[in-house]
Amino acid sequence: MCGIIGYIGSKEATPILLEGLKKLEYRGYDSSGVGVCSAKDGKIIVRKAQGKIRHLEDLIKSHPITHATTGISHTRWATHGAPSHRNSHPHCDVKQTIAVVHNGIIENYQELRQELQKKGVKFVSETDTEVVGHLVAEYFKGDLVKAVQKAIGRVRGAFAFGVICSADPNLLVAARVGSPLIIGIGKGENFIASDVPAILDKTKRVIYLKDGEMAALTRDDVKIWKFDGKPVTPKIDTVTFTVGSAQKEGYPHFMLKEIHEQPHVLAQMIKSRIKNDHVVLDGIGLSDNQLKSIKNIYIVACGTAYHAGMVGKYLIEKIAGIPVVVDAASEFRYREPILQKNTLILSVSQSGETADTLAAVRDARARGAKAITICNAVGSSLVRESDGVLYTHAGPEIGVASTKAYTAQIGMLYLFALKLGELHKKLSDQERHKIIKEFKHIPSLYKTILQQKEHVAQIAKKKFRFGCFLFLGRNVNYPSALEGALKLKEISYIPAEGYAAGEMKHGPIALIDEYRAVVCIAPQSEVYEKMISNIQEIRARKGKITAIATEGDKDISKHADYVIYIPKIDPLLTPLLVAIPLQLIAYYIAVNLGCDVDQPRNLAKSVTVE
Ligand code: G6P
């Protein structure tokens, strides 16, 4: 979704802002803009462009900005008003003395807009953001911090703001509720950004601004207050990502790079979370006694994380014997789920900022439930709003289609299930030992699967013209089928459906003919033969089958057009392995179609609005 970067220092702001915006491109956007305070004539200069950031760069090349060392900039993902020049940020007041960039949604913007219009304010955009520029201008009496504070008092909804004003070019003001915002601390320069990668090559020292806080940045100082004016002592964290982790490092796309990072991510998880054959879940926030008393679990998540959560249900129920309900967070929050005394809410999220997941957790905690989050983003809102966190530490994921974050989430759910299994005495020492031993093989098995990527690329060459795909799986690989279909539609725009193979006869079989591509996930397991029956039924109707099967399964090649093999492993662990061929199928098909793999149309990496 929308991205923000702001700069205050002694260098020219515009090139720094453009560089930062490019690093936020992965979040998804449709237009961009910069606004700077010009030291030359004490004015705010704004440049905006619809489409890619290179259009904004071209505009700035033809209409250069100089002598401006304070500025804000934005990538916009349209919510209120179409993607267009006039709707892109920054938004200013009538006299162009104040400029604002905003992430989030202002819910009462209509009423504020009408109030301002009655006072004669002429609006130029359809956005919810524009009211803020006008409000700040109305309240500005020489003190930008106070004016922003007053304006914030009038708006409802979610926001992260960056605000500058021509009367005080040595000041940048920021504020947040709901939408994430960080402050980067440099030497003689400071930054604001919606996400760490935007400033990673400038500084690793960051302050995670909390909900209800605002900040005033000058070149050499950062002051933070709560909205009521109470000062806050800033806590500076050091980011551990490397700049390389936010660059492609020779891969043509971030997605392919991130697919290849999965062995490393799982190896790190094993190293830090398994000690002497026991699972160590530091940060979990609940005592062993509290974990022992859990009677049921709701997993809440969105998108790919929701599919990881579905895998988690199979794992926790099987390994720990605790009933689990998995809900799309957007459903959970409106359906009044029945929470009991010992209900645990387990949220799963890469970004930790997904609006629905956050709301679901808030709601459940307000009703007395304990909440643990499985999260990748350190210090994110979900982490702060949960009782405990299990960090996946997958590193920054830049490709919009989630890959390494997904397998890391499943890995962590697996470890969580083992821990509960141990505490709930559902798992003998011997069983635990066996499972952990298998789990430890995952990173090397990943490497074996990745060696087959050329084979998958060849299959994709034969398949990319199919107009519709069906992905089938059973049991623990039913969620894998959903995720395989999601990956393909996200990045190739080919309609794809994921289905529980047992349900095929109840509808999807009507789709099968020689023009249908079907991916059947059929590793060795107790449902293998059932999958083979499904494959036969598809074949009888001339569907074109690609099977994902276990090494050594020669028979399956008699029924399928193509087979991708994964190494033999405990069936419960197969979702971790089949994820890679599914990701590669989607990736190579999208590449063949010439799609923008890392930034698919209409999608956002982190959905911070409802
Ligand atoms: C968006 C992203 C998906 C992601 C989902 C949930 O839709 O494009 O890749 O799975 O949000 O995001 P989260 O950060 O909560 O895992």
Side-chain angles (χ1 to χ4, degrees):
M1 298 224 129
C2 308
I4 289 177
I5 170 157
Y7 173 79
I8 184 158
S10 51
K11 299 178 191 140
E12 282 294 346
T14 313
I16 294 173
L17 296 175
L18 284 171
E19 241 179 86
L21 285 182
K22 283 189 205 154
K23 301 202 177 89
L24 291 174
E25 279 191 295
Y26 74 95
R27 292 169 67 94
Y29 72 105
D30 43 55
S31 55
S32 58
V34 299
V36 293
C37 291
S38 163
K40 236 181 4 198
D41 44 17
K43 277 192 181 154
I44 284 184
I45 301 171
V46 171
R47 302 274 187 269
K48 304 177 187 189
Q50 196 183 329
K52 292 287 178 191
I53 289 170
R54 63 169 188 277
H55 300 138
L56 180 65
E57 276 183 310
D58 290 346
L59 176 72
I60 292 173
K61 262 186 213 143
S62 58
H63 298 78
I65 313 172
T66 54
H67 301 90
T69 58
T70 299
I72 49 178
S73 60
H74 192 260
T75 46
R76 175 172 187 257
W77 187 88
T79 57
H80 296 64
S84 67
H85 179 275
R86 70 194 177 99
N87 286 333
S88 36
H89 299 211
H91 288 285
C92 296
D93 64 313
V94 178
K95 292 186 185 149
Q96 206 158 311
T97 58
I98 305 281
V100 180
V101 286
H102 165 223
N103 285 2
I105 287 181
I106 293 165
E107 284 163 6
N108 60 335
Y109 82 102
Q110 287 286 21
E111 93 201 31
L112 292 170
R113 192 176 169 112
Q114 279 161 16
E115 176 189 314
L116 289 158
Q117 276 168 335
K118 274 187 201 143
K119 291 181 183 164
V121 172
K122 293 251 176 315
F123 278 77
V124 292
S125 79
E126 301 150 85
T127 65
D128 52 336
T129 306
E130 194 184 340
V131 292
V132 182
H134 297 302
L135 273 181
V136 174
E138 177 163 306
Y139 293 129
F140 184 73
K141 303 279 178 282
D143 184 338
L144 184 62
V145 173
K146 283 220 168 87
V148 172
Q149 195 178 12
K150 278 197 177 158
I152 285 170
R154 300 291 319 281
V155 298
R156 264 198 330 269
F159 56 79
F161 293 134
V163 188
I164 53 172
C165 102
S166 56
D168 195 350
N170 299 315
L171 185 64
L172 167 56
V173 175
R176 78 158 278 191
V177 169
S179 303
L181 199 67
I182 59 160
I183 296 169
I185 311 291
K187 287 200 180 100
E189 57 185 9
N190 290 310
F191 306 82
I192 59 167
S194 46
D195 212 343
V196 173
I199 55 163
L200 203 53
D201 60 342
K202 306 283 185 253
T203 179
K204 291 193 166 188
R205 299 176 70 226
V206 303
I207 299 168
Y208 295 97
L209 206 61
K210 296 198 181 84
D211 273 349
E213 288 182 354
M214 59 186 296
L217 288 76
T218 59
R219 284 173 196 182
D220 302 304
D221 194 24
V222 174
K223 286 201 171 50
I224 299 182
W225 301 270
K226 293 212 172 293
F227 289 169
D228 61 9
K230 222 163 109 201
V232 172
T233 312
K235 179 176 168 292
I236 301 178
D237 283 294
T238 304
V239 176
T240 51
F241 315 158
T242 58
V243 174
S245 56
Q247 287 173 349
K248 286 188 202 149
E249 292 181 327
Y251 286 94
H253 298 98
F254 279 109
M255 182 176 175
L256 191 61
K257 178 192 171 220
E258 286 156 6
I259 289 173
H260 280 82
E261 283 171 349
Q262 291 173 104
H264 174 71
V265 172
L266 266 288
Q268 285 301 110
M269 186 180 286
I270 289 163
K271 199 166 144 205
S272 61
R273 299 292 193 173
I274 299 178
K275 302 264 152 80
N276 302 324
D277 247 7
H278 285 274
V279 174
V280 182
L281 296 182
D282 291 345
I284 195 164
L286 302 191
S287 67
D288 281 0
N289 276 338
Q290 285 174 305
L291 292 172
K292 268 187 214 164
S293 68
I294 293 171
K295 291 278 181 291
N296 67 325
I297 298 176
Y298 280 99
I299 297 183
V300 290
C302 300
T304 289
Y306 170 63
H307 296 153
M310 287 179 77
V311 176
K313 172 185 165 72
Y314 287 89
L315 302 180
I316 295 169
E317 290 189 341
K318 184 121 188 179
I319 299 175
I322 300 171
V324 180
V325 173
V326 192
D327 258 344
S330 52
E331 288 299 313
F332 179 92
R333 61 186 290 196
Y334 293 114
R335 78 173 175 84
E336 297 186 18
I338 297 155
L339 306 181
Q340 283 150 5
K341 191 162 156 260
N342 293 322
T343 298
L344 174 76
I345 303 300
L346 181 61
S347 64
V348 185
S349 174
Q350 189 284 125
S351 64
E353 302 293 349
T354 303
D356 282 320
T357 312
L358 201 52
V361 168
R362 270 186 199 145
D363 180 55
R365 284 190 84 211
R367 293 164 57 199
K370 292 280 182 213
I372 295 175
T373 185
I374 292 181
C375 191
N376 191 32
V378 175
S380 57
S381 302
L382 256 178
V383 171
R384 286 198 303 274
E385 300 220 14
S386 299
D387 296 283
V389 55
L390 298 174
Y391 278 123
T392 49
H393 290 306
E397 191 180 64
I398 308 289
V400 164
S402 187
T403 53
K404 63 175 179 172
Y406 172 67
T407 45
Q409 286 158 353
I410 296 178
M412 189 52 78
L413 282 157
Y414 204 74
L415 295 176
F416 183 61
L418 286 175
K419 178 82 184 172
L420 288 181
E422 198 179 333
L423 289 171
H424 284 245
K425 303 214 181 314
K426 180 83 188 351
L427 205 62
S428 69
D429 283 355
Q430 212 183 358
E431 285 166 326
R432 193 188 66 245
H433 178 77
K434 184 176 163 278
I435 298 177
I436 286 181
K437 198 168 153 209
E438 291 258 290
F439 189 66
K440 283 183 174 171
H441 286 141
I442 298 282
S444 64
L445 301 183
Y446 270 175
K447 288 185 189 154
T448 318
I449 300 173
L450 285 166
Q451 279 162 7
Q452 296 183 64
K453 69 176 177 192
E454 267 316 305
H455 172 55
V456 182
Q458 289 312 316
I459 298 174
K461 264 201 187 125
K462 309 269 186 214
K463 298 278 174 182
F464 77 96
R465 296 205 188 280
F466 278 81
C468 163
F469 273 70
L470 184 62
F471 288 74
L472 297 176
R474 278 177 184 256
N475 201 277
V476 74
N477 281 310
Y478 160 44
S480 305
L482 297 179
E483 176 59 11
L486 178 68
K487 265 319 60 103
L488 186 68
K489 64 188 144 198
E490 277 181 315
I491 60 171
S492 73
Y493 320 135
I494 297 176
E497 262 201 90
Y499 240 85
E503 279 285 292
M504 188 180 77
K505 288 196 195 69
H506 303 289
I509 200 163
L511 296 175
I512 308 291
D513 60 18
E514 68 263 48
Y515 304 110
R516 233 33 96 206
V518 187
V519 178
C520 295
I521 305 167
Q524 288 299 335
S525 73
E526 65 272 33
V527 291
Y528 172 76
E529 283 171 3
K530 311 271 174 212
M531 276 306 303
I532 294 296
S533 305
N534 290 125
I535 289 175
Q536 304 280 24
E537 288 154 8
I538 298 161
R539 196 167 175 75
R541 287 160 184 82
K542 301 199 172 82
K544 300 289 179 262
I545 299 165
T546 301
I548 301 177
T550 305
E551 240 162 42
D553 179 358
K554 295 272 181 288
D555 275 359
I556 204 160
S557 53
K558 293 183 203 140
H559 316 300
D561 302 287
Y562 300 98
V563 184
I564 305 166
Y565 286 108
I566 57 161
K568 189 166 170 41
I569 196 151
D570 179 333
L572 264 192
L573 282 168
T574 52
L576 276 173
L577 297 193
V578 304
I580 295 202
L582 292 170
Q583 293 162 358
L584 289 171
I585 290 171
Y587 173 77
Y588 285 116
I589 287 179
V591 168
N592 274 295
L593 288 168
C595 296
D596 189 348
V597 171
D598 284 335
Q599 291 162 37
R601 69 183 182 205
N602 303 339
L603 294 182
K605 182 71 188 159
S606 166
V607 179
T608 50
V609 295
E610 197 176 343

